[in-house]
Amino acid sequence: EDKVYIKLFREAYGEKPTANTLFKAIASFERTLVSGNSKFDRYFYQKDTSAFNESEKRGYRIFFDDNYKMHCATCHTGVNLTNNSFQNNGLYLEYPDQGRYKVSSRNDDKGKFKVPTLRNVAVTAPYMHDGSLQTLEDVMEHYNSGGKGRWHPNRSPHVHVHRGLELTETEKSDLISFLKTLTDEEFLSNPDFHAD
């Protein structure tokens, strides 16, 4: 009912605020939320090799090297570090929330959730579809162990079973160092994206 908003909505959408125009306004705003100036962006896209320290470089190699024991970049790829697919990452053997199955009703979608972007991942805890992992260290342990649901029939083949990944403490630390390079401080501190 705010007169200013009614005027602005009429100018933008030709009508007063409705559920439909509100949806459009929020979607328009969200399209302005572009993060692209992290250390990773400077290293990968701008070819600034000085952007990473040695630990971050090692973590980068572990993350992206297909011949390594990790297959992170199989699902976390592209500019947003997601392939937008639905995967079961072995979090549980029995999922209270059946994920994609609730939409598709296909048994091979049980326990599958959309692969999230990793941009700004260091500041988006808790992790996983249900917030069950509190830290990046917890996430590393999940993948390193193969997960509780390693024998789930829909588990992605990229989540290793049996003995897990057997990452060393240094490799886990390097991977976390790399993940922290995906934080775009300029984006996070942009006053245009904060309520007054």
Side-chain angles (χ1 to χ4, degrees):
E1 298 303 316
D2 184 290
K3 289 184 180 357
V4 173
Y5 279 110
I6 290 171
K7 178 180 180 294
L8 292 172
F9 271 77
R10 285 196 188 283
E11 288 173 6
Y13 302 108
E15 60 182 296
K16 67 179 185 172
T18 64
N20 186 43
T21 57
L22 183 60
F23 177 80
K24 289 178 180 179
I26 291 171
S28 293
F29 170 70
E30 287 182 348
R31 283 191 290 276
T32 71
L33 300 174
V34 178
S35 175
N37 195 28
S38 65
K39 286 177 80 172
F40 168 74
D41 294 305
R42 292 190 296 277
Y43 182 84
F44 186 79
Y45 293 108
Q46 298 170 19
K47 307 302 183 202
D48 178 1
T49 56
S50 67
F52 280 4
N53 65 35
E54 290 307 310
S55 174
E56 293 162 345
K57 287 177 183 176
R58 288 191 303 267
Y60 170 88
R61 284 191 293 273
I62 294 168
F63 189 93
F64 284 104
D65 187 347
D66 286 339
N67 296 318
Y68 207 80
K69 34 187 157 178
M70 300 287 288
H71 293 151
C72 306
T74 303
C75 294
H76 295 287
T77 187
V79 70
N80 283 325
L81 297 159
T82 176
N83 64 4
N84 294 307
S85 68
F86 291 84
Q87 299 290 328
N88 179 313
N89 68 354
L91 190 61
Y92 301 114
L93 188 55
E94 295 292 330
Y95 284 80
D97 179 342
Q98 289 293 311
R100 183 80 178 144
Y101 173 79
K102 291 193 301 190
V103 175
S104 72
S105 299
R106 294 173 37 153
N107 284 331
D108 61 350
D109 278 342
K110 284 185 177 177
K112 289 186 178 179
F113 296 86
K114 189 170 182 185
V115 175
T117 178
L118 293 184
R119 286 200 170 267
N120 299 301
V121 69
V123 297
T124 59
Y127 303 105
M128 301 301 158
H129 72 278
D130 61 354
S132 60
L133 301 182
Q134 300 303 305
T135 66
L136 289 174
E137 288 77 10
D138 294 340
V139 173
M140 283 301 121
E141 286 307 317
H142 163 71
Y143 286 111
N144 198 41
S145 72
K148 297 176 197 167
R150 64 179 69 163
W151 304 115
H152 193 286
N154 296 333
R155 178 196 47 80
S156 168
H158 302 295
V159 177
H160 298 265
V161 295
H162 306 298
R163 288 182 277 156
L165 295 170
E166 298 182 325
L167 293 173
T168 67
E169 291 304 314
T170 300
E171 289 170 323
K172 288 188 276 186
S173 177
D174 289 343
L175 268 169
I176 291 171
S177 291
F178 166 70
L179 291 174
K180 290 179 178 178
T181 72
L182 302 173
T183 302
D184 183 344
E185 296 295 343
E186 181 180 80
F187 171 78
L188 293 175
S189 63
N190 186 331
D192 292 341
F193 302 143
H194 298 277
D196 293 332

